[in-house]
Amino acid sequence: MSDEVLFQKIVCNDAQRLDSFLARFLGEILPGASRSSIAAAIKAGLVSVNKKAVLKPSHKLKINDEVLVKKSRIPSENSRIPSENSRIPSENSRIPNELFEKIKIIYEDDDILVISKPSGLVVHEASSLKGESTLVDFLKQSGRQLATLGGEFRAGIVHRLDRYTSGVMVVAKSDFASAQLSSQLQQKTASRIYIALCDLPLKQNCVVERAIGRCENNRLKKAVYPLGKNGAKYAKSAFCNIFLDEVQNSQNSPKKNMPNIIAAKLFTGRTHQIRVHLSSINRHILGDVLYGFKGSCDIMRVFLHGYILELKHPRTGQMMSFCAPLEDDFATLTGVDTRTLNEKLTKNFVLSCFEPFNQWLCLS
């Protein structure tokens, strides 16, 4: 079986469960496609019905429903269950070298390297991503001296971004810097602000304080739980609407047809924190089918971008602030050219949006 298979418009001719339909259809041409692997592929966001992503294997199909399995390998019974990180490229594919070329160096000295990571690049290798080139590979190939705390395989990585999240990251080039930066992240003295495109605007700017733990129904997800349940740990985020005249109030681009730009500030650093907290208030990032986005299945990434990172320099103690400009695909969806969008969405403007956050509605 090839690494990438594309099935187009499989029309359902009988009302039945989605997984049953796919098991029968795929079983005729892909004998290795088991019922369990098909169910896992559905949960990973690889299947859409009538152009909308569906995550439930038990989804009831109607006659003439159109089912699409897009650009991904359906694993055999003995294969790994696909993870969120592998839902677009196949498990054994390699990230093309051109992604390395898209990594932008924002700042560098003897202790730290600050970069802008492109969407699609994995930070470090995982068992579900065997064979893919990673940010760690890039760092090792660059010939830079890197911190070895935690093992050489970490290559100075002290925090991470999800594969399809783009934006600013800091890398430690010395063990001293690694320890200092890790301490700042643990003590929450480093500040991180993200920009996202959402399906709906916020009803009002708000702070969400809800513990996050392992999802009971889907091992790929996290979810909001009472503190301690399913390993749930305290998590705090602040969210605000970003209104730009050129983007959302233009007469040529009616607001109702434009994605909603929001900013998110992290006070803690739980896995998928922004995505989980937004989902808990019924807001979803464009492309984030894992957490409930139901829009166009042509959106092939999660539109979340690490925009601002503020920290103290590990050696001098000087407060430093770094900003990673938005990628071109953000501009494409907002209908504004990249330069105009970044000029309007300045670092100082975004930081000022969070100055009154202590007065915002707090959801717990």
Side-chain angles (χ1 to χ4, degrees), residues 7-8 53 94 106 145 183-184 215 242 248 310 332 335 361:
F7 299 94
Q8 294 186 2
R94 293 191 67 83
I106 297 175
Q145 179 178 335
S183 177
Q184 289 186 49
C215 180
I242 301 289
Q248 295 185 301
E310 294 189 314
T332 299
L361 172 69

Side-chain angles (χ1 to χ4, degrees), residues 111-283:
D111 289 297
I112 62 173
L113 169 68
V114 181
I115 66 165
S116 179
K117 184 187 85 69
S119 172
L121 182 62
V122 182
V123 172
H124 49 68
E125 190 174 28
S127 59
S128 60
L129 301 168
K130 187 176 180 180
E132 297 219 17
S133 297
T134 66
L135 176 59
V136 167
D137 293 328
F138 166 81
L139 293 170
K140 290 180 176 179
Q141 293 172 20
S142 71
R144 290 178 171 85
Q145 179 178 335
L146 300 166
T148 57
L149 281 181
E152 291 187 2
F153 70 95
R154 296 192 65 87
I157 300 295
V158 293
H159 69 115
R160 61 182 291 274
L161 295 177
D162 294 336
R163 177 178 189 162
Y164 293 104
T165 299
S166 54
V168 63
M169 290 185 64
V170 62
V171 177
K173 295 178 65 177
S174 66
D175 288 350
F176 174 81
S178 178
Q180 292 293 320
L181 292 172
S182 296
S183 177
Q184 289 186 49
L185 292 168
Q186 291 172 3
Q187 296 176 14
K188 305 174 183 62
T189 56
S191 176
R192 289 167 288 173
I193 294 178
Y194 292 73
I195 298 295
L197 300 183
C198 278
D199 52 0
L200 295 169
L202 302 168
K203 291 182 178 179
Q204 64 184 95
N205 296 344
C206 62
V207 175
V208 179
E209 287 188 90
R210 292 173 175 171
I212 294 175
R214 300 180 303 275
C215 180
E216 294 177 338
N217 303 317
N218 187 337
R219 71 178 184 85
L220 302 179
K221 296 176 62 176
K222 303 294 181 181
V224 167
Y225 289 109
L227 196 64
K229 182 178 179 180
N230 293 335
K233 297 181 180 180
Y234 173 78
K236 179 180 179 180
S237 312
F239 300 101
C240 68
N241 289 309
I242 301 289
F243 294 107
L244 304 178
D245 292 342
E246 288 85 346
V247 176
Q248 295 185 301
N249 296 325
S250 168
Q251 293 181 356
N252 296 324
S253 301
K255 180 179 176 181
K256 66 179 181 180
N257 294 326
M258 304 302 294
N260 300 279
I261 303 175
I262 70 165
K265 183 173 182 177
L266 291 181
F267 297 89
T268 54
R270 309 303 174 204
T271 300
H272 298 177
Q273 179 173 320
I274 292 173
R275 300 159 66 185
V276 174
H277 275 172
L278 282 174
S279 178
S280 76
I281 59 173
N282 197 32
R283 297 296 181 270

Side-chain angles (χ1 to χ4, degrees), residues 307 324-327 337-346:
Y307 197 55
L326 294 173
E327 294 194 336
D337 66 87
T338 307
R339 180 177 178 180
T340 299
L341 185 60
N342 281 306
E343 286 178 351
K344 190 71 176 179
L345 208 64
T346 65

Side-chain angles (χ1 to χ4, degrees), residues 17 86 101 103 105 259 261 276:
R17 284 171 55 119
S86 61
E101 298 174 1
I103 297 173
I105 307 300
I261 303 175
V276 174

